[in-house]
Amino acid sequence: MLVPAAKAQDSFFPIWGDEAEKLGYTLPKPYGLSISYMDMSNPITVDSIVLRGHPLLEAIDVDANKAHFTGSNITVRGDVWIFPFMNVYGILGYTKGESKAKINSVSCDQAKFSKWNLGCAVVNAVGSRLPESAEFNLKMDGGTYGIGTTLAGGVGDWFALLDMNYTYTSISAIDGDIRTFVAAPRIGHRWQYDSGRELRVFVGAMYQSIDQYLSGDLASLGLPSVVNAVVDKLAPDASFEVSQHSNQKWNGTLGAQYAFNRDWDVLVEAGFGDRKSMFVALGRRF
């Protein structure tokens, strides 16, 4: 991640590496490859739920504005130190998750029909008396890819860095995507030992903006049976569109990285607050 106590290997990268060494800085090997696993839990806001396929469905309003997302991903990351203070990397991985939202009520807008509609009246009659267990459940998984950069610096054994990345996940089970931007400032201290071993402990914060756009077969949404019964009779091929985003963008982080030598290191980081996460990575430098 940062500054192992050894000379950088001969390479075109990092640019200005020789100048940095002459000033007394120690540099990591320029190229890196790591594999990581992350588990996360995050409250989200449902911006809209739109039903398609029949005029009656399009008149239905589903009140379920709060949801909870849990998920995990495994990624492979390749990186290079372009400058002594700037690392750039690419991400390729797999993400899976589940979003659950309690349905407060289901209603139908009679004003959207030229005359009184029986189906709409039925929805209104039962939609306000849903059981406590009524919820919609979205299960999603797909490939993730993205790019990022880390800006780093330090004084003595103290260091600071800012990591930023953007990832895109294409959902395979249903149509849609997850777009995530992350910015994570951290500060920490390092301890150096024999044989190139090094321990770094850091604290920080993480800004994470997540936007999810999902659509698919209405039967897979897990709506109450009264809505599904209406759907089966009116439009068996009915669909849905859901837009939702993370409503807690900042959380705290605490982590540590241990370098076994100049080649191998392991990183563990925990996120706490309304959004919780656990991140583990094994890295190799070249």
Side-chain angles (χ1 to χ4, degrees), residues 196-218:
R197 294 176 298 126
E198 188 170 312
L199 174 65
R200 305 154 205 151
V201 177
F202 56 88
V203 296
M206 180 180 293
Y207 172 89
Q208 189 175 79
S209 176
I210 302 176
D211 294 306
Q212 299 178 352
Y213 304 93
L214 309 167
S215 63
D217 181 1
L218 189 56

Side-chain angles (χ1 to χ4, degrees), residues 173-231:
I174 54 180
D175 295 330
D177 57 67
I178 303 174
R179 305 173 188 183
T180 306
F181 173 74
V182 174
R186 302 179 181 99
I187 59 172
H189 190 275
R190 65 175 185 163
W191 292 266
Q192 302 177 60
Y193 306 100
D194 296 335
S195 304
R197 294 176 298 126
E198 188 170 312
L199 174 65
R200 305 154 205 151
V201 177
F202 56 88
V203 296
M206 180 180 293
Y207 172 89
Q208 189 175 79
S209 176
I210 302 176
D211 294 306
Q212 299 178 352
Y213 304 93
L214 309 167
S215 63
D217 181 1
L218 189 56
S220 66
L221 194 57
L223 293 173
S225 58
V226 61
V227 178
N228 285 330
V230 173
V231 170

Side-chain angles (χ1 to χ4, degrees), residues 70-97:
T70 56
S72 62
N73 64 38
I74 184 168
T75 59
V76 175
R77 166 178 149 167
D79 73 88
V80 57
W81 284 96
I82 301 295
F83 299 103
F85 55 85
M86 181 180 182
N87 180 280
V88 296
Y89 57 88
I91 299 170
L92 182 64
Y94 171 78
T95 298
K96 68 176 182 178

Side-chain angles (χ1 to χ4, degrees), residues 14 18 34 49 67 88 109 112 140 180-181 190 211 220 241:
D18 290 340
S34 64
I49 302 174
V88 296
D109 186 1
K112 292 188 176 181
M140 57 198 84
T180 306
F181 173 74
R190 65 175 185 163
D211 294 306
S220 66
E241 296 175 8

